[in-house]
Amino acid sequence: MRKRTKNGSSGLLSRLSLPIFALIVIIITFFASAASYILIRVQNDHTLNMADQSMKFVYRNVWYQFDTMNNVAAFILSNPSIEGLLENRYQQSYEAVGDYFALQTNLENLSLLSLLNDFGSRSAAKKSYVVSVALEPESGLFDIATDHFDPTTGIYKYDDLQNQEWYRSLKRGARQTEWWGQRTGQSNSTMIYSARTKTSIKDGRSIGTVIIGADTGSIQSVFENAQLEKGYHLLLDESNQVIFSERYSFLEPVGELPYVRAMEGNKGSLVSRIDGEQHRVMYETFANGWKLLTVVPESHFSQYTFAISAIGAATAIAALLIAGFILRRIVVRVTVPITRLVSAMHRPEVLEFKEPLPEQNSGIYEVDELGQKFSSMLITLHGLIEKSFVEEMERRQLQLELLHSQINPHFLYNTLDLINCRAIMAGDREASQIVRSLANVFRHSLNRGEAWISLGDEVRMVEAYLHIQQMMMDNLQVEIRVPEDILSALIVHLTLQPLVENAIIHGFAERTSECRIAITARLKDKAIILRIEDNGRGCDPERMNRMLRDHTGGEVEGRNGGMKTGYGTLNVHRRIQLHCGEAYGLRYADIEEGTCVEVVVPYRIRTEVLANV
């Protein structure tokens, strides 16, 4: 490498090193921070998702247990056999013994359904439902039912239940099903119950109350299978008493806890301080009004934050050291020669394409090759630009010259005006009309030399031209339907007249009667579609469309059934494409009789419509 002077590349090196290194520091810091942030968020979201999944697991399976209890009660309420046993009447009490034991057998069979299902250890003892019916005097089995209610499967009298708050609420009709928890039996077992009123299917009178009970051990396995690494679950009844939890005891009131009071709505999440630490509390309400809460400390979500941050910082420092080492080599070996190349490119002689870029010898093959190829590219590009510009201008000039070559000069219009005056003076009105129509054709054809004309003016020029043709052809019928709301739109000048002339000259060449030309226009998808249709000798639409696609300009001697296509069709098609783009132009459509050509031009409106000449 050549020796660098103090005032040369060394100064540039010192000016570039600091900002580039600062940029590298910012980029590495940004990406390291972003990566650490993303990893932390992913880890935290994963932990939160695990807690949420645990809660959903508990919710689904606890509600499955509740739903099973509802189904058992619904079966008893709707079973015709049980209905008959409860409503039968007996003259003597002993006559009801058989029905009593039949009902007792049904209740015991229903109680054998295990609430544990597939949850918990296979060695755990299966716990069954308590299925009871508390009868009222309306039932025929009331007299032989057990006098005092006991929380076991059986048939009881309702007397002992009248003082229970849930029973009074059920009788008031506050809700269809009552749910509660209580300790029962000599073993002081923790139980959950649901109760529904049994009414007669026949007349709606109250027969008794169906009570379904289950030991809380039936849902304990669900909580055990969804244990949290940190945190706990809470199942609360409507009075905010604990039904089951790993932290609180059965029926312990927790309604005064801050996070319980802060719950709003049936479902949500909140952050509350518990035992001096922030906890996230997620909760959801069952259909029976009970709530399931999942409480997880916030520290559990961010337990990997420090480790991920430390790794990210160490990675960023290592990347900065490596980048700093490589930076000097990049600036010296690449940046300096490229900067010299850029400076040479800004020389006036180079910008004006008067001379190529000066050759460099930086010692780097890629940089030297870049300078040489770029110099050649500039020269080539300059030549291509000039060539393309000249060719485009010549092509457009030829098209315009070809167009103007078809238009008579101004003196013809003035001459026609003179002839019109003489015809009027001589009283020859028919000749005057012919001359005026021909004058209108030339007046609109000249159009002050502009390439665009309003659709209304174009239609008026065609009407004047067709008026002359009708005087020469007695059997020519003309129909023009153009909506007024698009008459102000602009189209390429001399679009319709050549196509109409082509239809008359070639389409009606062998037809002498009932000749018809129809011109219509419509607006579709921001484009105007003009349709010229005749009932002449017709053409092959596919062949004509292929001709339009294959020829870019010039006169075409294509034939269709022995008929020349003429210059006008291609001329109109190419002029539209020159002014509007390749997506527009002419297209032939297949019809039963004659020829149909459609003109597609963009829908354009100018703020000022040029006055007629």
Side-chain angles (χ1 to χ4, degrees):
M1 185 172 59
R2 293 182 300 174
K3 182 177 179 180
R4 297 180 295 276
T5 62
K6 181 177 181 181
N7 295 328
S9 53
S10 295
L12 181 60
L13 175 63
S14 62
R15 289 192 297 271
L16 289 178
S17 297
L18 183 59
I20 294 178
F21 185 74
L23 179 61
I24 293 175
V25 170
I26 293 173
I27 294 175
I28 292 177
T29 303
F30 171 76
F31 280 103
S33 301
S36 299
Y37 173 77
I38 293 172
L39 289 175
I40 292 171
R41 283 298 303 271
V42 169
Q43 178 61 39
N44 292 350
D45 290 346
H46 174 72
T47 306
L48 180 61
N49 184 60
M50 292 297 292
D52 183 62
Q53 292 297 324
S54 175
M55 177 180 175
K56 290 180 179 178
F57 175 83
V58 174
Y59 182 89
R60 287 194 303 267
N61 290 284
V62 169
W63 179 244
Y64 173 79
Q65 307 293 7
F66 293 164
D67 194 46
T68 304
M69 295 172 68
N70 280 330
N71 292 337
V72 173
F75 178 81
I76 297 173
L77 294 173
S78 61
N79 186 270
S81 176
I82 296 177
E83 176 80 12
L85 295 174
L86 292 174
E87 290 201 7
N88 286 338
R89 296 294 183 179
Y90 313 95
Q91 294 181 355
Q92 299 295 331
S93 298
Y94 65 85
E95 296 177 355
V97 172
D99 289 347
Y100 177 88
F101 282 108
L103 178 59
Q104 179 72 20
T105 300
N106 285 331
L107 298 181
E108 289 177 352
N109 289 337
L110 289 172
S111 70
L112 294 177
L113 294 174
S114 172
L115 286 177
L116 288 178
N117 293 293
D118 296 328
F119 304 106
S121 171
R122 295 185 180 272
S123 63
K126 298 292 183 180
K127 301 181 183 296
S128 59
Y129 294 122
V130 171
V131 183
S132 305
V133 178
L135 298 178
E136 297 183 18
E138 296 295 332
S139 174
L141 300 178
F142 178 79
D143 291 336
I144 63 174
T146 304
D147 292 332
H148 298 289
F149 181 81
D150 186 67
T152 58
T153 299
I155 306 169
Y156 306 94
K157 294 181 180 180
Y158 78 108
D159 300 332
D160 291 349
L161 305 179
Q162 295 184 66
N163 295 327
Q164 299 291 331
E165 177 61 30
W166 63 265
Y167 185 81
R168 292 195 297 268
S169 176
L170 193 64
K171 287 302 179 182
R172 289 195 302 267
R175 60 181 66 186
Q176 185 179 11
T177 304
E178 290 290 337
W179 293 81
W180 74 97
Q182 70 179 57
R183 294 183 180 275
T184 57
Q186 296 180 353
S187 61
N188 207 24
S189 300
T190 56
M191 301 285 292
I192 56 176
Y193 291 96
S194 70
R196 295 177 65 177
T197 300
K198 169 60 180 172
T199 58
S200 172
I201 299 176
K202 296 179 181 179
D203 52 23
R205 71 182 186 281
S206 178
I207 300 176
T209 303
V210 177
I211 303 171
I212 310 297
D215 193 289
T216 56
S218 62
I219 61 174
Q220 180 178 355
S221 59
V222 176
F223 283 76
E224 290 176 351
N225 279 277
Q227 285 185 349
L228 299 170
E229 182 179 349
K230 291 184 179 181
Y232 53 91
H233 298 289
L234 270 169
L235 178 61
L236 307 180
D237 64 11
E238 289 185 283
S239 301
N240 290 328
Q241 297 182 86
V242 176
I243 299 300
F244 191 88
S245 176
E246 304 96 327
R247 181 183 177 97
Y248 299 97
S249 59
F250 182 69
L251 294 183
E252 181 178 348
V254 294
E256 295 303 317
L257 293 176
Y259 60 87
V260 176
R261 293 200 309 268
M263 290 189 301
E264 296 180 357
N266 295 328
K267 183 178 181 181
S269 175
L270 55 92
V271 177
S272 179
R273 180 170 292 276
I274 304 174
D275 299 333
E277 184 180 358
Q278 292 291 102
H279 284 67
R280 183 175 296 276
V281 181
M282 298 174 287
Y283 61 92
E284 192 164 354
T285 305
F286 293 97
N288 63 356
W290 292 12
K291 291 183 175 64
L292 177 65
L293 286 73
T294 299
V295 183
V296 182
E298 286 284 290
S299 59
H300 182 59
F301 299 124
S302 57
Q303 57 183 328
Y304 298 106
T305 300
F306 177 77
I308 294 175
S309 300
I311 294 174
T315 303
I317 293 173
L320 288 174
L321 293 176
I322 296 173
F325 173 75
I326 298 175
L327 174 62
R328 182 176 180 83
R329 296 180 60 86
I330 294 177
V331 172
V332 173
R333 299 286 295 172
V334 178
T335 307
V336 172
I338 290 179
T339 303
R340 292 174 179 171
L341 176 61
V342 172
S343 299
M345 290 169 53
H346 283 82
R347 293 176 56 188
E349 296 82 359
V350 175
L351 293 176
E352 297 174 1
F353 297 101
K354 293 181 178 179
E355 64 179 38
L357 288 174
E359 184 178 353
Q360 290 195 93
N361 185 17
S362 63
I364 302 175
Y365 170 77
E366 290 80 2
V367 175
D368 295 341
E369 188 71 11
L370 175 64
Q372 295 175 7
K373 296 300 182 182
F374 196 82
S375 177
S376 301
M377 183 185 70
L378 288 177
I379 297 174
T380 304
L381 181 62
H382 177 64
L384 289 175
I385 291 174
E386 289 185 345
K387 180 179 179 182
S388 176
F389 179 78
V390 170
E391 289 179 351
E392 180 65 17
M393 293 303 297
E394 289 178 353
R395 185 168 65 90
R396 289 182 177 270
Q397 185 63 32
L398 287 174
Q399 294 290 344
L400 292 175
E401 289 176 358
L402 288 173
L403 173 61
H404 288 300
S405 66
Q406 301 178 73
I407 304 175
N408 290 327
H410 278 280
F411 79 91
L412 289 179
Y413 173 70
N414 297 329
T415 303
L416 291 173
D417 194 19
L418 177 61
I419 296 173
N420 180 38
C421 292
R422 296 290 179 90
I424 293 174
M425 294 175 62
D428 191 348
R429 293 188 175 275
E430 183 176 359
S432 175
Q433 291 178 358
I434 295 174
V435 172
R436 281 204 305 271
S437 296
L438 183 59
N440 286 334
V441 171
F442 281 112
R443 181 181 62 181
H444 290 292
S445 297
L446 293 175
N447 192 35
R448 296 182 178 178
E450 294 186 4
W452 294 85
I453 189 173
S454 69
L455 179 57
D457 288 342
E458 184 78 1
V459 170
R460 282 188 285 273
M461 182 182 70
V462 171
E463 288 177 339
Y465 173 78
L466 288 172
H467 182 258
I468 298 173
Q469 292 290 347
Q470 285 180 314
M471 292 183 178
M472 293 187 292
M473 301 173 60
D474 295 335
N475 61 340
L476 178 61
Q477 300 177 14
V478 177
E479 181 182 2
I480 300 177
R481 299 192 309 275
V482 179
E484 293 185 3
D485 56 349
I486 63 173
L487 287 176
S488 60
L490 297 179
I491 66 171
V492 178
H493 186 36
L494 281 179
T495 296
L496 293 177
Q497 189 273 334
L499 302 178
V500 171
E501 181 180 3
N502 194 57
I504 293 175
I505 295 175
H506 301 294
F508 300 145
E510 300 177 1
R511 190 182 185 103
T512 59
S513 63
E514 297 182 0
C515 298
R516 186 180 71 257
I517 293 178
I519 302 174
T520 59
R522 71 180 189 274
L523 184 62
K524 180 181 179 182
D525 298 332
K526 297 183 179 180
I528 296 177
I529 300 178
L530 303 172
R531 187 181 179 97
I532 299 93
E533 185 175 347
D534 65 70
N535 63 342
R537 63 186 299 180
C539 68
D540 183 357
E542 183 178 353
R543 179 188 180 97
M544 297 298 291
N545 288 329
R546 185 168 58 251
M547 179 270 293
L548 293 175
R549 289 193 305 267
D550 294 344
H551 296 85
T552 59
E555 186 171 0
V556 177
E557 295 295 334
R559 291 181 174 270
N560 183 38
M563 177 194 71
K564 290 186 178 181
T565 61
Y567 176 77
T569 300
L570 274 177
N571 181 276
V572 172
H573 180 66
R574 288 303 298 154
R575 284 192 295 109
I576 292 175
Q577 289 192 332
L578 281 172
H579 291 287
C580 305
E582 298 293 330
Y584 301 94
L586 303 187
R587 64 189 183 196
Y588 282 81
D590 191 9
I591 58 175
E592 294 182 359
E593 181 184 12
T595 302
C596 176
V597 59
E598 291 183 341
V599 181
V600 183
V601 294
Y603 180 68
R604 295 180 179 177
I605 296 292
R606 62 182 172 186
T607 56
E608 293 185 7
V609 180
L610 295 177
N612 292 330
V613 178

